[in-house]
Amino acid sequence: MSGGCGRNPPPFPDNEDQEAELDTRVLDSDEDDDDEGEDIFTGARSKPITPTSAPDEGDIFSEEGSYIRSDVHHATNGLHSDEELDLFTEATVELTLTNTTSQGRREIIGPTASACNTTHVPNSILKPSIVTKTMEELEEEESGDQFELNIAVTNPEKIGDGMNAYMSYKVSTQTTLPMFLNKTFSVRRRFSDFLGLYEKISAKHSLLGCIIPPPPQKSVVGMTKVKVGKEDSSSAEFVEKRRAALERYLQRVVAHPSLLQDPDVREFLERDELPRAVNTQALSGPGLLKMINRASDAVNKMTIKMNESDNWFESKLQEVENEEQLLRRLHAAVDSLVNHRKELCLNTAVLRKSVAMLGSVEENSALSRALSQLAEVEDKMEQLHQQQAFSDFFILAELLADYVRLLGAVRCCFEQRMKVWQRLQEAQSTLQKKREAEAKLLWANKPEKLQQAKDDINEWESKVSQYERDFERVTCTVRKEVLRFEKEKARDFKQHIVKYLESLLHTQHRLVKCWEAFLPEAKAIA
Amino acid sequence: MTSISEDSDKEKVRSVSVDLNNDASLVIDIPDALCERDKVKFTIHIKTTLSSFQKSEFSVPRQHEDFIWLHDTIVETEEYAGLIIPPAPPKPDFEGPREKMHKLGEGESSMTKEEYAKMKQELEAEYLAVFKKTVQVHEVFLQRLSSHPMFRKDRNFQIFLEYDQDLTVRRKNAKEMFGGFFKNMVKSADEVLISGVKEVDEFFEQEKIFLLDYSSKIKDATAKAEKMTRSHKNVADDYNHISGAMNSIAADNNTAFKKHLEKCAEVFEKLRKLEDRVASDQELKLTELLRYYTRDIQAAKDLLYRRARALADYENSNKTLDKARLKGKDIAQAEENQKQCLRKFDKLSESGKKELTSFKARRVVAFRKNLIEMTELEIKHAKNSMSLLQGSIEILNSN
């Protein structure tokens, strides 16, 4: 569940100047580096531009479509406050294209699964093959009407000194989506910005029953080391871990069709300076967990049990809870693997030194040479083990950690539905009380209060029907979300498993090479 | 009780030393071993054309303690002072597997049938590995003796091979006689050597320097190799747990997700076996090699000690002779003593030189053999892993 069309973007042309000049919307851009952008646009334009009608309430996309339409009118100022005139002219264009965006998005969900057979490797691993992937990208884009959105989080930089220091990350976006001002752009963000984004998204969408991807966890220990300026491998590792986690987080956010349409998300990606997000304490790792657990506690304490028309929700929730537990166990096992492999790496290094020493003392020259060669082999193996541990962690362990937290978010989603239902229940009982009150008044014959009672009843009747609709909608949304989530999860796991196996394959291949190189040396001993 | 026969292992000749069975007149191997609680019983199989033996082919059961007795008697034999005594095989160490067996027994009720079966399989594999090691090392000990022109004629060696009853009785007497003496010798030997007895022979001077240095380095390398193979085993263990955890998740599911996880679990299961083999082959070929030669180097050092001792004795006898000459008393006795000491010293020097030279050759050949075998095995395992992974990736991609 990560990455809209989660490929690593090709190395961006220097976008620094593009950030400054937001006036050139790359609609019919001459300096367009990828041609398919233009094709898509012309293609899009030629499509009949009918606003997607929303007959069925359960269609998320139409919902979001309408949401955005209104949004465009009001919120453009918020997006890029410094550019007024140009934006307005463009706003009209954007309006018509928004619908195709919705349509386009739908298309993405379908073919995406097959198109994205690519890797979600942290930038540091995959750099060499990025170019070839781009070619693939191009080919696939010619075949289908797809909108691309690639996000990368790179270049962590330490800003400031001492305890007030923080890491700033470059968030680069490459997209053909029309709702963005440019095709490629980047901004700098800090960790609290990401948490702030989560807060905003969560406030808006969780009530609708969407599964909100949880942000990476805060880590006091990790950050303190970085702030203090400890330039060692563990703090470098921490920064890399965080960078990768932030990238995955954003990729998951934009993979979600409704979230992508959210102006806050767009603002996050595009806007130069974001106001500092405050009160992110609650969103730190343990804080978030507490929130989730509180929600489930509240549900458990509900006295009136939900009358489920079908078992789907109950059994699904059970499934999710079980899977979360099992994933935790798997994650622990993979964690152990990472640690042991790191240990193996260390021990190999130590052995290497020892063998080298032995070789230097050995009086038989051929054997001495062979022993030094053996030490070389051990050295190469140490590097291989190191790289494999890296893959173990970033491809497998982090995936599992992410999904444990995602399953928690899924649970939250179910709980939201319960809350909505509870609200409906309460409204219904309030309505009942009001009706009883009216009846009492009628019986007691107090006409002056009767009108009030009737008004009350009307008010609550409409509330009840509103809440009923809400509940229907949420139920639909949750169901859709869960199905989408499961599809994404299967796809994600498959991708990562394949990538992991490929990393193992690569390691074994290199091992063969190492040993084959050594064999003649061993045979040369005389 | 576990019994292991060696036919499962195709590599029959596993000796860390050279192929010591190439002299058909006396061929020894250990085809079988039985583990009864604390005691390991080795079945020694002998084939010989020598007339000194009653039968031409026979087997005899021996315990580890019998080997130690044999080693000690040889060490104590004055005649062999100028030879490198093959190091005694270390006591079989089944602590690891035994612990695991306990855990298995205790946790049996809380495990699923599959988990239990898996753990049992692991346990058996570990037992097998320990067995292989200990049998190999005991076998090599005997083979070293049988291939040496002097040791093979040793009376006690013959008794060891032929005596069709329990050796325990004979052993007891021997122990009382030799126990203390041997230990004292080793303690003071160090000092004799290190205090820098004036060395007359360049060859031995070089040998001393080389052996002392090499000894500490090879000991270190052995320890580090042990640590590394242990890490490897830990990684294999983790693969096992991962496979189990993945299977649990897959069991709960019935979607494409399940298929992917099941396949992955299968891969990890197979990888574990391969990784285990890598670890144990490394141990058998590299770590065992280093271990064995650490002991062998020690035996070579012992030879130097004995020779240095003899040199010290000779020098003392000279002093005594001078004193006697001064006093005019006991001259003949002192002269005789001095002559004897000199003879002994010369004999030790002569045979010592031969032994140490052949030791060098033997060591080089053993290293060569083991390094080649280890490399070939590593390549084989890695290639197997590769084909396993490739196949699995293809299957996953085609789904």
Side-chain angles (χ1 to χ4, degrees), chain A residues 23-208:
Chain A
D23 47 336
T24 33
R25 273 268 257 133
V26 188
L27 286 176
D28 299 292
S29 163
D30 338 278
E31 15 109 84
D32 199 355
D33 38 350
D34 24 350
D35 279 313
E36 78 282 6
E38 245 175 83
D39 291 334
I40 289 181
F41 272 107
T42 43
R45 285 242 189 88
S46 61
K47 268 192 176 172
I49 298 178
T50 45
T52 42
S53 50
D56 48 325
E57 301 251 290
D59 190 346
I60 302 177
F61 297 103
S62 53
E63 295 258 314
E64 296 316 311
S66 57
Y67 180 52
I68 286 179
R69 248 176 274 139
S70 52
D71 163 67
V72 163
H73 280 304
H74 305 303
T76 33
N77 280 329
L79 271 181
H80 306 282
S81 40
D82 29 323
E83 312 286 315
E84 289 118 355
L85 229 67
D86 294 317
L87 275 174
F88 267 108
T89 41
E90 286 162 353
T92 1
V93 183
E94 195 175 65
L95 173 61
T96 40
L97 283 176
T98 306
N99 304 321
T100 26
T101 306
S102 311
Q103 277 184 339
R105 282 312 284 174
R106 250 189 252 129
E107 280 178 289
I108 292 176
I109 301 306
T112 301
S114 52
C116 292
N117 302 327
T118 52
T119 48
H120 286 295
V121 183
N123 285 333
S124 37
I125 297 183
L126 199 57
K127 276 197 168 53
S129 49
I130 284 175
V131 179
T132 36
K133 290 286 190 272
T134 326
M135 301 312 264
E136 253 178 79
E137 233 174 278
L138 292 173
E139 285 168 33
E140 278 155 354
E141 282 181 337
E142 313 276 55
S143 57
D145 229 34
Q146 292 185 28
F147 290 93
E148 280 287 317
L149 181 76
N150 293 322
I151 295 193
V153 175
T154 54
N155 302 48
E157 256 174 42
K158 183 169 164 204
I159 313 282
D161 256 320
M163 288 315 285
N164 287 326
Y166 64 91
M167 291 303 286
S168 147
Y169 301 88
K170 179 171 166 185
V171 177
S172 316
T173 315
Q174 190 213 28
T175 178
T176 53
L177 285 168
M179 67 187 181
F180 291 97
L181 298 179
N182 296 313
K183 278 207 165 173
T184 48
F185 48 92
S186 64
V187 292
R188 289 213 80 98
R189 294 283 177 257
R190 54 184 292 184
F191 185 65
S192 53
D193 294 334
F194 288 80
L195 294 183
L197 176 66
Y198 172 78
E199 199 173 35
K200 289 186 200 151
I201 293 177
S202 184
K204 276 187 268 179
H205 296 262
S206 57
L207 292 173
L208 302 172

Side-chain angles (χ1 to χ4, degrees), chain B residues 358-375:
Chain B
S358 70
F359 172 67
K360 285 177 203 290
R362 197 174 61 232
R363 188 183 74 241
V364 172
V365 173
F367 266 77
R368 178 177 191 275
K369 178 168 183 286
N370 277 276
L371 287 177
I372 293 176
E373 281 176 3
M374 179 180 77
T375 309

Side-chain angles (χ1 to χ4, degrees), chain A residues 349-359, chain B residues 217 220-222 224:
Chain A
V350 166
L351 177 62
R352 176 189 74 78
K353 284 197 203 96
S354 192
V355 169
M357 292 284 276
L358 190 62
Chain B
K217 300 259 162 30
D220 187 61
T222 308
K224 305 291 158 61

